Amino acid sequence: MARRIQFSSNGGPEVLELVEFKPSEPGPLEIRVRNHAIGLNYIDTYYRSGLYPAPGFPSGLGTEAAGVIEAVGSEVTSLSVGDRVAYAGGPLGAYSDVHVLPASVVVKLPEAISFEQAAAMMLKGLTVQYLLRQTYRLQSGETILFHAGAGGVGLLACQWASALGARVIATVGSAEKAEKAKAAGAWEVIDYSREDVAKRVLELTNGQKCPVVYDGVGKDTWETSLDCVAPRGLLVSFGNASGAVTGVNLGVLASKGSLYVTRPTLGTYAVPGALQGMADELFEMVTSGKVKVEVHQRYRLDEAAQAHRDLSGRKTTGSTVLLP
């Protein structure tokens, strides 16, 4: 028997329960992975709370982990039993000792990347890859605003953007988090708890604002983000940490300078045929030392509920993993 975290109704962390189950055999195009480390991400709280609907109840949770393949389907030719792999997509259920998922959402993991590193960075790292290299192709010399610069995505983004030659203005909520963002390569840091973000961005950019603003916070920062985008610039709203953005008035985009807005998701970028290439670029950034991945918190699988409480309570920084 194996163990997994599941929930039978939406709600707070208390709905998460550890249960035993018998793993299924993979279908023709599937594989079964023995997880060695599991990633904890904000999107997991969206499924648990009901902001994003689970496919049915009881439901597994989590989409990111790293481990070793222990079984492959009859039609899988690109992967073999014993391969080190990582994934950040597919059906919910990564919070588990083992997980069965399509072979198409799995990437091969270089020996130079540890299981914990991979589990800590796959979803966040692939997100940063598409944000900086595809949604908006960041250029050297550009000044950008990135909200939550001390979060898991933010710390990777600060490093990656800095390596590209861009100047990152990062927002944070405390002096401690400001230090973390600066250490990760942020050019300037704005503490939103005591500073006016839009006013400070205007000062730092000599009135020019930013060609692109990356906002994973959502509702609480939406209007501020719009005020930080340069005319004909782009606001990339990629997350809902404070709640979903609703009631968007397109007239506001016109009044603030013919702005563009996009709401991208990893699923529309990490498609079969593109996923391994995106992952390889991420792995190269890590193995070259340009991007460092550090696991700041570790929880046992049976501590998933507490991990969710700490994540939602903003008591975590950087990346967190669950260990089976």
Side-chain angles (χ1 to χ4, degrees):
M1 298 293 283
R3 304 171 307 147
R4 70 178 178 189
I5 295 292
Q6 69 178 34
F7 59 109
S8 298
S9 62
N10 294 121
E14 70 279 357
V15 302
L16 301 181
E17 56 180 347
L18 182 71
V19 300
E20 291 188 340
F21 75 107
K22 183 178 180 180
S24 62
E25 292 300 317
L29 295 175
E30 295 179 326
I31 62 170
R32 189 172 70 229
V33 179
R34 172 69 59 174
N35 290 330
H36 286 229
I38 302 156
L40 178 75
N41 296 285
Y42 230 101
I43 193 173
D44 302 342
T45 70
Y46 300 163
Y47 282 109
R48 188 208 70 223
S49 68
L51 179 62
Y52 289 177
F57 293 121
S59 174
L61 190 60
T63 60
E64 175 185 48
V68 176
I69 295 177
E70 64 175 24
V72 299
S74 59
E75 297 180 21
V76 175
T77 59
S78 58
L79 298 165
S80 304
V81 171
D83 283 350
R84 301 175 79 251
V85 294
Y87 57 92
L92 297 178
Y95 285 21
S96 178
D97 291 333
V98 297
H99 191 27
V100 175
L101 67 168
S104 60
V105 303
V106 172
V107 298
K108 290 186 177 180
L109 187 64
E111 290 289 342
I113 306 290
S114 73
F115 292 122
E116 286 196 12
Q117 279 183 310
M121 75 177 182
M122 280 296 292
L123 184 59
K124 301 175 184 69
L126 290 174
T127 297
V128 172
Q129 194 281 337
Y130 84 72
L131 290 176
L132 303 186
R133 308 301 290 152
Q134 299 186 69
T135 303
Y136 182 94
R137 195 164 182 86
L138 195 58
Q139 303 296 318
S140 177
E142 292 183 312
T143 301
I144 69 171
L145 177 65
F146 207 104
H147 286 291
V153 173
L155 289 175
L156 293 181
C158 285
Q159 295 177 74
W160 200 323
S162 178
L164 293 173
R167 298 187 300 182
V168 181
I169 302 171
T171 69
V172 298
S174 68
E176 179 186 2
K177 290 187 175 183
E179 291 180 6
K180 291 182 182 296
K182 288 287 283 187
W187 172 62
E188 291 287 351
V189 178
I190 302 173
D191 185 341
Y192 61 77
S193 68
R194 59 183 183 83
E195 297 180 90
D196 184 315
V197 173
K199 181 181 179 181
R200 187 69 180 125
V201 166
L202 205 60
E203 293 171 351
L204 291 170
T205 61
N206 296 316
Q208 299 302 302
K209 303 185 181 180
C210 300
V212 62
V213 171
Y214 294 102
D215 188 343
V217 177
K219 180 180 66 175
D220 289 354
T221 50
W222 169 253
E223 292 186 8
T224 295
S225 291
L226 289 174
D227 287 336
C228 296
V229 182
R232 294 193 292 174
L234 175 65
L235 170 54
V236 183
S237 178
F238 67 95
N240 311 297
S242 66
V245 175
T246 60
V248 176
N249 180 355
L250 292 180
V252 173
L253 304 182
S255 68
K256 294 184 181 295
S258 301
L259 305 185
Y260 293 87
V261 174
T262 184
R263 179 60 175 90
T265 64
L266 178 61
T268 52
Y269 284 89
V271 295
L275 177 58
Q276 186 68 57
M278 292 172 62
D280 288 344
E281 185 175 358
L282 169 62
F283 296 154
E284 192 280 328
M285 293 297 290
V286 174
T287 56
S288 69
K290 295 176 181 177
V291 170
K292 293 180 173 61
V293 177
E294 297 180 358
V295 178
H296 291 173
Q297 295 87 207
R298 295 173 177 83
Y299 297 83
R300 299 189 311 272
L301 183 60
D302 61 7
E303 296 176 317
Q306 185 60 49
H308 275 229
R309 292 186 188 96
D310 291 347
L311 180 64
S312 297
R314 300 193 176 185
K315 295 180 179 178
T316 65
T317 60
S319 296
T320 303
V321 297
L322 303 176
L323 301 176

